[in-house]
Amino acid sequence: MDTTHGADYRFFARWAAFSYEKAIWIILLSIIIAVASVVYTSNNLGIHTDTTDMLSEEVPFRVNHKRYKEAFPQFEDAFLLVVEAPTPEQAHAAAKQLSEYLHNDGAHFYETNYLSGDAFFEQNGLLFKDIAELEKITDRLAAAQPLIARLSENPALDTFASVLTEAADEMIRGRNLDLGAVFSGVSSTLDAQLANTPRALSWQILLDGEQQADRYQEIILTRPKLDYAQLFAAEQPMNAIREAAGNLGITTESSVKLRITGEAALAYDELHSAMRGAQDAGILALVLVIAVLLIALRTFGAIMTVLFSLILGLLLTAAFATFAVGHLNLISIAFAVLYIGLGVDYAIHFLLRHEEVRRTGLPVTDTLPKASGDIGRALMVCAITTAIGFYAFMPTTYDGVAELGLISGSGMIISLLVTLTVAPALQRYFPIRTIKPLIIIEPVHRMLEWPGHSRRTVYTLTLFAALLSLLALPYIRFDYNLLNLNDPRVESVETFRDLLKNADDSPWHIIALEDDQTDVEQLVQQLAALPEVDKVVTLLDMVPDHQDEKMALIEEMAMTLGPITFAPVAQKAIDVNAQRTALQELQLALDRLVNEQPSHAAINKAHALHASLSRLLTRLDQTQDHEMQVQLLSAVTHDLLHLLPESIHRLQTALQAEPFDRKNIPESVKTHWLSDNHIFRIAIYPAENIDDNDALTRFVRAVQQITPGATGVPVISLEAGEAVVNAFIHAFSLALIGVITALLVLLKSVKSTALVLIPLLLAALFTGASTVLLGIPFNFANVIALPLILGIGIDCSVHMVHRGRSTGEAYENLLHTSTARAIFYSALTTMAGFGSLIFSQHQGTASMGLLLLAGVILTLVCVLIILPALLHSLENNKTSVT
């Protein structure tokens, strides 16, 4: 063996020779270790999916949130079940049935709450309305009472039409009856039936005097029993909800529909979309990576060497993670991405260097130690500096990043050991053959030679790009919105965003906790004055004001309505002629009203009802078959009247309201606002849709000025995002210091260290600017791409500088070496492997793929264009000095 080389050359050469000689034992031992790693990891490695748990428990917002969870556990990891129906009566009835069903399902749910359906609110709901609202309801009830009374005796279409005819005649005589809402509601109901999109008439909306909307929502809160032993912890409770809804007739085909959202559903859908996207992207990545390896290595044995080394190192790193940490989180699980992106580089560099040495015609026993001696030190420098870069993440307060740093840093050392041990052993059975340059690669070589002849142009463009990038840095953003990570088309995200549009009851609201009622009252007063706050709700709001005045109006309503009951009656045969006559008489009465009282407030609605009746009578006349006429009139009767008994029953319940104070609030309501240890829950609702990051920031910061200890999803999202940003800034600062120190020690040259760092820093600068240009804000997912780009930048720069420095090759020769080819193909494998993530349905994963693709391309430009130009300049300077 050549003794003219340094000790490190001889060490790595002997290492390769030993591995080659003991190849069969090393391969068998590797397989045994791989199997043992799989068994050990699968039996002992856990997964933590709570993103907030990845931050230190000493972070203030985590301390506040822990206190909130302990005081009000019912709001943690809950489902929000959104029941939608064409009328509020149908939505309420379906929500009440479903909540009772789930309440009895103790196997899947800790508790289920439907506050609007609580007996307390059903009886006392009117007391929570304004006095002006109650006065209007009283007037409308007085106008509608004769109609309701007659229909309770004979709930038929002809009765309905006759009463409306009498009311129209009274209005013609000058009586002031507020029937505009009735006319409008009946007209809309008839039009819907004639358009084959039937919907029921809401008597509740009629009495409220509102225009009937297309859909009404009721929200159920339920806390599922999550099975964290399963990958999808919420799967069984979600299936139980779907099954319960199906048993109650709430299906996609029915008029009443159910949508599931909330923290547990969002987490389930996010994990599902991420895995589905990773599966699809993984297949594409495998195909693309194998294609790149075929182009780069062009032999089955060499490809198997790369893949075997990669899989073995990945399994050993996973076993190390199991031993050293015991679990993975949503951040540290990215070690696999980092390892694949960087681990494959070592094997490619080793094999291509060996292929280059084999062109001398010497036997493998001579070329393998030489190749290992040549490349070993560069691989060692890469592994150590990259590991130090990752280990710098460990001191941060973000446990997720710290664990990622420990696992990935150790993974780089493992990758080095596997490459230098297993790759030489496999060369005994799969020796790499010499590779003829591909014709399609020649244009790439010619393109890379251009900077050497146009260095001024390269330096000018680099300086210009650097200045533009510096100007873009202030516009780099971090997206705190966790919803933006998920697939926007899944039900939980679409539903949650719909709920966010309603500022009155936004599911994203801030929570403050207080121990004293006086402090609660003072805090509410301060918060309510903020322009960023829509309203503040506490237990104190559960006791309405002006109860005596409201009770007087409620008692008046009860006297007006009277003791109405809807006794069950036998189904009567529909008399088509009688009902047609009643409808025609109503039409004539409306016609007279329009002509004789043109200035009446309800004249437009009366005219609309007249037009609807005309269309109904025309359809009836055009239908020759008697049975079809009966079906049409029966459907119209059902749409107009079938909700009336339930609506009146609920109104009668509400008319039994009684004055109450805080002592009378039932536990089923009180537990949502006052904990067992007497902590008040204060819900602070935003005035804007905080699905927007700027609105979210304004809302949270304004509230924190008054109550710094506030918590809730808006606070957690913003504070966790800033903690991630600060953690990465801290980590990258330490990483830079560690990498510079390691390079100075290992390379023993300030100039070489600077040459490694220049393309690395430029690539980091350009990547940051590219996020602005491409409109890709950093988020909780794609921020993981930064360590990988850092590692690739270090590896590429070290290999290029080491090759130029150790061999002294000229600029043109350097670009035709195995080092440049290995850098190029390693970057291609990374781009092929992780660029496929762009097609993932999970938006966080897709943004990570796009950021990685941009970062690797920019790193490649800096290493293969800017760095060689610098090396060429230094070479010329040295020559001129000589």
Side-chain angles (χ1 to χ4, degrees):
M1 187 173 294
D2 188 358
T3 58
T4 61
H5 293 89
D8 55 350
Y9 176 95
R10 294 194 297 273
F11 173 77
F12 290 114
R14 289 169 181 166
W15 188 341
F18 175 82
S19 296
Y20 186 83
E21 181 182 348
K22 308 294 182 182
I24 186 63
W25 299 109
I26 288 176
I27 293 171
L28 288 176
L29 183 62
S30 299
I31 293 173
I32 293 172
I33 292 175
V35 172
S37 298
V38 170
V39 174
Y40 175 70
T41 302
S42 60
N43 290 333
N44 297 281
L45 184 63
I47 295 180
H48 290 179
T49 57
D50 190 340
T51 53
T52 58
D53 283 346
M54 293 185 287
L55 288 160
S56 171
E57 292 186 356
E58 298 177 0
V59 176
F61 82 86
R62 282 211 65 195
V63 175
N64 299 333
H65 189 63
K66 183 179 180 181
R67 183 187 178 210
Y68 174 54
K69 287 196 298 184
E70 292 172 349
F72 300 95
Q74 65 268 37
F75 295 104
E76 189 66 19
D77 293 328
F79 285 128
L80 291 177
L81 310 183
V82 181
V83 179
E84 295 183 334
T87 66
E89 293 96 329
Q90 291 169 301
H92 176 82
K96 193 161 188 177
Q97 283 183 308
L98 181 59
S99 64
E100 291 174 354
Y101 195 111
L102 299 179
H103 180 75
N104 295 325
D105 186 2
H108 295 104
F109 303 97
Y110 291 108
E111 57 186 306
T112 300
N113 297 287
Y114 172 44
L115 287 181
S116 297
D118 191 277
F120 172 77
F121 286 111
E122 289 190 329
Q123 177 178 339
N124 298 294
L126 290 175
L127 287 172
F128 290 89
K129 292 184 177 292
D130 295 334
I131 292 178
E133 289 182 86
L134 291 177
E135 289 174 342
K136 291 179 180 178
I137 294 174
T138 303
D139 293 339
R140 294 188 192 98
L141 182 60
Q145 194 279 338
L147 173 63
I148 296 171
R150 291 272 296 276
L151 288 173
S152 68
E153 298 171 0
N154 182 23
L157 181 59
D158 51 354
T159 303
F160 188 22
S162 297
V163 176
L164 286 183
T165 300
E166 294 172 6
D169 289 338
E170 290 295 321
M171 293 168 71
I172 293 170
R173 297 188 189 99
R175 185 176 176 184
N176 185 22
L177 295 178
D178 187 7
L179 291 176
V182 175
F183 289 164
S184 178
V186 174
S187 175
S188 299
T189 303
L190 295 180
D191 289 344
Q193 178 59 236
L194 294 173
N196 295 321
T197 56
R199 66 170 185 173
L201 175 64
S202 171
W203 290 83
Q204 177 181 329
I205 295 300
L206 287 186
L207 293 177
D208 286 342
E210 300 173 359
Q211 184 72 29
Q212 187 166 336
D214 293 332
R215 305 293 291 178
Y216 291 87
Q217 294 180 343
E218 292 291 335
I219 297 177
I220 302 170
L221 176 71
T222 182
R223 186 159 68 103
K225 294 182 177 180
L226 302 178
D227 184 5
Y228 288 105
Q230 303 295 322
L231 181 60
F232 295 99
E235 185 169 28
Q236 292 184 10
M238 287 188 74
N239 290 338
I241 293 171
R242 296 292 185 196
E243 182 180 352
N247 292 338
L248 296 173
I250 306 174
T251 65
T252 54
E253 292 79 22
S254 65
S255 59
V256 180
K257 292 180 170 46
L258 172 68
R259 296 198 288 169
I260 304 176
T261 187
E263 288 184 32
L266 288 167
Y268 171 86
D269 280 338
E270 180 173 12
L271 183 58
H272 194 270
S273 66
M275 292 194 66
R276 188 172 64 250
Q279 179 181 349
D280 296 341
I283 296 172
L284 178 60
L286 181 61
V287 173
L288 294 175
V289 168
I290 291 176
V292 172
L293 291 176
L294 280 172
I295 295 172
L297 305 174
R298 271 172 278 168
T299 59
F300 173 78
I303 294 174
M304 289 302 299
T305 299
V306 172
L307 295 179
F308 184 83
S309 301
L310 183 65
I311 293 171
L312 176 61
L314 190 60
L315 292 176
L316 289 174
T317 304
F320 171 81
T322 306
F323 172 78
V325 181
H327 64 264
L328 296 176
N329 54 59
L330 294 180
I331 297 290
S332 63
I333 201 170
F335 87 88
V337 175
L338 302 178
Y339 186 91
I340 293 171
L342 294 171
V344 73
D345 292 0
Y346 294 175
I348 289 176
H349 275 280
F350 185 91
L351 290 175
L352 287 182
R353 180 59 175 156
H354 185 211
E355 181 272 335
E356 186 178 40
V357 176
R358 286 208 67 190
R359 294 179 188 176
T360 60
L362 296 173
V364 175
T365 51
D366 291 336
T367 59
L368 189 62
K370 177 173 175 51
S372 183
D374 288 342
I375 198 71
R377 179 174 175 78
L379 292 178
M380 180 189 71
V381 173
C382 289
I384 292 176
T385 52
T386 306
I388 289 174
F390 284 136
Y391 286 147
F393 288 22
M394 293 173 59
T396 66
T397 57
Y398 195 6
D399 292 343
V401 174
E403 292 169 5
L404 174 67
L406 173 62
I407 297 169
S408 297
S410 302
M412 294 302 97
I413 304 300
I414 291 171
S415 180
L416 174 68
L417 297 176
V418 168
T419 299
L420 294 177
T421 305
V422 176
L426 290 172
Q427 286 296 286
R428 188 177 187 92
Y429 303 100
F430 305 107
I432 190 168
R433 298 192 299 269
T434 56
I435 302 171
K436 293 182 180 180
L438 289 174
I439 297 176
I440 59 174
I441 299 300
E442 288 305 315
V444 176
H445 286 309
R446 287 196 295 271
M447 180 182 70
L448 293 177
E449 290 172 1
W450 167 78
H453 309 296
S454 307
R455 293 194 304 277
R456 287 187 179 180
T457 304
V458 172
Y459 295 152
T460 301
L461 291 176
T462 301
L463 180 61
F464 181 70
L467 290 175
L468 288 180
S469 298
L470 287 171
L471 293 175
L473 290 184
Y475 299 96
I476 293 177
R477 296 185 300 113
F478 189 93
D479 187 357
Y480 306 101
N481 193 332
L482 296 172
L483 287 181
N484 291 338
L485 299 181
N486 213 331
D487 184 349
R489 296 163 295 184
V490 297
E491 178 185 77
S492 61
V493 175
E494 287 184 339
T495 305
F496 204 87
R497 283 209 155 102
D498 287 344
L499 295 177
L500 285 176
K501 294 174 184 176
N502 180 14
D504 289 339
D505 197 24
S506 173
W508 272 358
H509 51 265
I510 294 178
I511 301 298
L513 302 176
E514 288 291 348
D515 299 319
D516 183 76
Q517 181 175 333
T518 304
D519 293 337
V520 171
E521 293 172 348
Q522 182 179 356
L523 185 59
V524 168
Q525 187 175 5
Q526 292 176 308
L527 291 169
L530 293 174
E532 294 83 3
V533 173
D534 177 60
K535 64 178 179 180
V536 183
V537 181
T538 70
L539 179 64
L540 307 182
D541 295 293
M542 298 301 106
V543 182
D545 298 328
H546 311 296
Q547 292 191 40
D548 292 338
E549 295 93 326
K550 294 176 181 178
M551 281 303 305
L553 290 169
I554 292 172
E555 290 170 1
E556 181 181 344
M557 279 189 266
M559 292 179 61
T560 300
L561 182 63
I564 292 177
T565 57
F566 286 82
V569 294
Q571 181 67 37
K572 296 180 181 179
I574 291 180
D575 186 338
V576 174
N577 291 329
Q579 295 202 355
R580 179 191 283 113
T581 300
L583 292 172
Q584 289 172 338
E585 290 177 355
L586 174 58
Q587 184 186 28
L588 292 172
L590 291 171
D591 189 49
R592 292 194 301 273
L593 176 61
V594 170
N595 292 326
E596 297 181 25
Q597 296 286 348
S599 61
H600 196 283
I603 202 66
N604 291 332
K605 295 174 182 177
H607 185 75
L609 178 56
H610 181 277
S612 300
L613 287 170
S614 297
R615 288 190 287 271
L616 174 60
L617 290 168
T618 299
R619 174 75 65 85
L620 196 62
D621 293 337
Q622 290 173 346
T623 305
Q624 300 298 324
D625 184 72
H626 178 73
E627 288 300 321
M628 293 184 66
Q629 291 177 332
V630 170
Q631 289 178 9
L632 175 60
L633 293 173
S634 177
V636 170
T637 303
H638 179 270
D639 291 346
L640 290 173
L641 301 178
H642 88 276
L643 293 181
L644 179 60
E646 176 60 25
S647 298
I648 298 305
H649 174 72
R650 289 183 62 196
L651 177 59
Q652 289 172 328
T653 301
L655 294 177
Q656 297 174 11
E658 296 179 354
F660 64 91
D661 56 21
R662 211 177 88 189
K663 295 179 182 178
N664 303 120
I665 299 175
E667 286 299 315
S668 59
V669 176
K670 188 181 296 184
T671 53
H672 288 77
W673 301 100
L674 185 65
S675 69
D676 294 337
N677 53 349
H678 206 75
I679 296 176
F680 287 86
R681 174 175 173 266
I682 304 169
I684 309 156
Y685 289 85
E688 302 177 87
N689 182 353
I690 56 173
D691 197 13
D692 174 74
N693 278 306
D694 293 334
L696 171 70
T697 304
R698 285 193 298 271
F699 176 52
V700 172
R701 294 307 181 215
V703 172
Q704 287 180 327
Q705 289 292 322
I706 294 176
T707 172
T711 185
V713 174
V715 175
I716 292 172
S717 297
L718 187 61
E719 294 293 349
E722 294 198 346
V724 170
V725 172
N726 293 332
F728 270 90
I729 291 174
H730 183 204
F732 274 100
S733 300
L734 292 176
L736 186 60
I737 295 172
V739 167
I740 292 173
T741 303
L743 289 173
L744 287 171
V745 171
L746 295 171
L747 298 180
K748 300 182 177 68
S749 168
V750 174
K751 183 167 66 176
S752 296
T753 299
L755 286 172
V756 171
L757 291 175
I758 288 173
L760 178 63
L761 296 176
L762 285 174
L765 178 62
F766 295 158
T767 301
S770 71
T771 64
V772 179
L773 180 64
L774 297 174
I776 316 170
F778 286 110
N779 56 49
F780 291 96
N782 66 22
V783 74
I784 306 304
L786 297 178
L788 178 53
I789 296 171
L790 172 70
I792 292 173
I794 292 173
D795 288 1
C796 294
S797 298
V798 165
H799 280 296
M800 206 66 163
V801 171
H802 178 269
R803 183 63 183 263
R805 176 180 144 181
S806 61
T807 64
E809 295 186 61
Y811 172 83
E812 290 81 0
N813 294 335
L814 185 60
L815 291 176
H816 289 276
T817 62
S818 63
T819 299
R821 284 189 290 127
I823 289 172
F824 178 73
Y825 287 124
S826 296
L828 276 186
T829 57
T830 302
M831 287 189 284
F834 301 109
S836 59
L837 295 175
I838 294 172
F839 303 104
S840 173
Q841 299 96 327
H842 187 265
Q843 298 302 294
T845 303
S847 68
M848 179 170 67
L850 185 56
L851 185 59
L852 270 171
L853 188 62
V856 172
I857 290 173
L858 292 169
T859 299
L860 206 59
V861 169
C862 292
V863 172
L864 292 183
I865 294 179
I866 299 174
L867 179 56
L870 290 172
L871 291 171
H872 195 192
S873 297
L874 291 175
E875 177 189 326
N876 289 345
N877 291 338
K878 185 187 298 184
T879 303
S880 61
V881 170
T882 304

